[in-house]
């Protein structure tokens, strides 16, 4: 058999796939990032192209495939905004041997484009275009209390997802869902600190910050209300609150879970999740951190 037919990476998204085992390559990509940034900035500054081609010769498949392309486009978009230039047209070429898993690449194209458009346009620039000069915007988002909290920690806002992972893990142990499905599930969430939110606003440059506040939101709102007005049995309250919070999370996470695992697991996972939530709320105070920032559109 010809070398071109067998010299390839493992396709798919299983345990032994290249997509799930390309960490060393990712490290190399990260270390070489400054060199690529220098090259692309120099190219653009010296030629000011209206159309720019980016080729990945040996693209393979998995998360690394689009990371370099995404990084280069974001670098140039940042430079174009700084210079007040119109973005060039981007043409991307992904090249590899015939046996490469191009199906995985094609299947992830839509997600790549949506993610890139969101990151490049980002959010604040779009809102600034919608507001009149001196217009006000108040933004409330999930976050963490301060920089000292690790964004990947339970205190940093991921506890509720960790508890959902417990329910999924139980189902994995019992053979209801596959281990590789559980291992490949990623939650697209980041909880910023107040200083990170302020920094992003200042970097984007369209808004003046008026006020930033952090508040704690109890997972069980009835517990706060009870202290003021109501009397009720705590066990009944926790059971009801576990159900309510599980339903709240279901409204957010169900489409993602159905897409990843299939619809047959949904009732079971949220039934387990409800019990886990009620148990956790009975043992300790559980809260979300919300960041609210008030801004004025600059003239």
């Amino acid at each position: 058999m010809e070398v071109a037919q067998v010299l390839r990476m493992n396709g798919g998204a299983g345990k032994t796939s290249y997509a799930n085992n390309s960490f060393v390559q990712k490290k190399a990509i990260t270390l070489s990032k400054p060199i690529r940034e220098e090259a692309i900035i120099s190219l653009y500054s010296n030629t000011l192209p209206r159309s720019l081609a980016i080729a990945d010769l040996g693209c393979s498949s998995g998360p690394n495939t689009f990371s370099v392309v995404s990084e280069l486009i974001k670098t140039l978009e940042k430079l174009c905004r700084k210079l007040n230039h119109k973005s060039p047209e981007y043409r991307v070429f992904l090249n590899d041997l015939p046996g490469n898993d191009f199906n995985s690449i094609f299947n992830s194209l839509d997600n790549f484009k949506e993610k890139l458009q969101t990151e490049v346009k980002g959010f604040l620039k779009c809102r600034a275009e919608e507001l009149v000069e001196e217009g006000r915007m108040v933004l409330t988002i999930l976050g963490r209390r301060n920089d000292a909290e690790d964004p990947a920690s339970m205190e940093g806002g991921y506890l509720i997802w960790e508890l959902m992972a417990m329910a999924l893990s139980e189902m994995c142990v019992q053979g209801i869902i596959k281990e590789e499905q559980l291992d490949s599930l990623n939650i697209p969430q980041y909880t910023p600190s107040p200083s990170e939110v302020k920094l992003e606003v200042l970097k984007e440059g369209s808004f003046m910050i008026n006020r930033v506040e952090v508040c704690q939101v109890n997972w069980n709102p009835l517990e706060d209300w009870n202290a003021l007005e109501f009397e009720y049995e705590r066990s009944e309250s926790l059971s009801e609150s576990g159900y309510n919070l599980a339903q709240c999370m279901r409204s957010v996470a169900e489409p993602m879970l159905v897409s990843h695992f299939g619809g047959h697991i949904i009732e079971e996972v949220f039934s387990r999740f409800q019990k886990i939530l009620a148990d956790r709320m009975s043992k300790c105070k559980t809260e979300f951190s919300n960041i609210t920032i008030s801004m004025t559109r600059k003239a």
Side-chain angles (χ1 to χ4, degrees):
M1 187 176 291
E2 294 185 11
V3 174
Q5 297 298 322
V6 297
L7 186 61
R8 59 176 177 80
M9 308 301 153
N10 276 350
K15 279 186 176 181
T16 61
S17 67
Y18 181 83
N20 286 326
N21 295 280
S22 51
F23 307 111
V24 175
Q25 294 88 336
K26 183 176 182 180
K27 181 65 174 179
I29 289 172
T30 301
L31 291 174
S32 57
K33 179 179 178 180
I35 300 174
R36 288 192 300 277
E37 287 186 339
E38 180 183 357
I40 197 73
I41 290 173
S42 175
L43 171 67
Y44 181 83
S45 300
N46 290 324
T47 63
L48 300 178
R50 300 182 67 178
S51 178
L52 188 72
I54 301 172
D56 187 339
L57 308 179
C59 62
S60 192
S61 61
N64 292 342
T65 299
F66 292 113
S67 63
V68 174
V69 173
S70 176
E71 160 209 307
L72 291 173
I73 292 176
K74 286 188 285 187
T75 296
L76 271 190
E77 286 298 304
K78 183 178 180 181
L79 179 62
C80 288
R81 288 196 299 270
K82 181 179 178 181
L83 299 175
N84 199 27
H85 287 181
K86 184 178 179 180
S87 299
E89 174 192 52
Y90 297 106
R91 291 175 290 126
V92 178
F93 300 89
L94 301 176
N95 178 270
D96 212 309
L97 293 173
N100 186 55
D101 185 7
F102 286 102
N103 286 333
S104 294
I105 296 176
F106 295 142
N107 288 335
S108 59
L109 270 175
D110 286 341
N111 288 337
F112 164 71
K113 290 190 292 185
E114 290 175 8
K115 185 173 184 288
L116 184 64
Q117 287 171 349
T118 300
E119 291 175 347
V120 167
K121 189 70 175 176
F123 174 82
L124 291 172
K125 184 69 175 177
C126 293
R127 303 293 80 75
E129 292 173 357
E130 296 167 352
L131 288 174
V132 297
E133 294 181 1
E134 301 296 328
R136 265 60 168 183
M137 179 171 73
V138 178
L139 179 65
T140 300
I141 59 174
L142 282 174
R144 62 187 198 275
R145 288 173 293 187
N146 51 57
D147 291 319
E149 290 184 344
D150 183 350
S153 70
M154 292 188 181
E155 292 78 13
Y158 284 88
L159 174 58
I160 195 145
W161 294 110
E162 290 293 332
L163 298 180
M164 182 178 288
M166 288 174 59
L168 291 168
S169 295
E170 289 176 358
M171 296 171 67
C172 181
V173 170
Q174 296 172 7
I176 301 173
I177 61 176
K178 295 179 180 178
E179 185 177 357
E180 55 266 31
Q181 286 182 305
L182 181 60
D183 291 341
S184 61
L185 176 65
N186 291 306
I187 305 299
Q189 176 176 316
Y190 179 77
T191 49
S193 67
S195 64
E196 287 175 326
V197 174
K198 288 191 284 187
L199 180 60
E200 288 302 313
V201 173
L202 294 174
K203 281 168 56 179
E204 195 281 326
S206 297
F207 291 91
M208 178 179 66
I209 299 173
N210 303 320
R211 184 177 179 181
V212 179
E213 286 194 4
V214 180
C215 64
Q216 303 304 118
V217 181
N218 199 317
W219 286 12
N220 180 9
L222 292 178
E223 193 169 275
D224 292 335
W225 295 339
N226 179 60
L228 299 174
E229 304 178 41
F230 302 103
E231 292 295 335
Y232 60 92
E233 291 293 331
R234 179 172 172 79
S235 60
E236 292 181 6
S237 166
L238 290 172
S239 177
E240 181 182 352
S241 293
Y243 172 80
N244 290 338
L245 186 55
Q247 290 297 98
C248 176
M249 288 299 294
R250 180 170 180 169
S251 70
V252 173
E254 181 169 350
M256 178 173 57
L257 295 179
V258 168
S259 174
H260 194 77
F261 296 105
H264 65 285
I265 69 138
I266 294 301
E267 294 300 330
E268 179 68 18
V269 71
F270 282 100
S271 175
R272 294 172 185 248
F273 186 40
Q274 174 188 339
K275 295 173 184 176
I276 292 171
L277 287 172
D279 179 67
R280 178 54 65 103
M281 288 189 285
S282 72
K283 295 175 178 176
C284 60
K285 190 171 185 179
T286 47
E287 296 177 321
F288 293 113
S289 294
N290 264 25
I291 299 175
T292 299
I293 179 168
S294 174
M295 297 167 280
T296 299
R297 171 76 158 86
K298 291 181 179 177

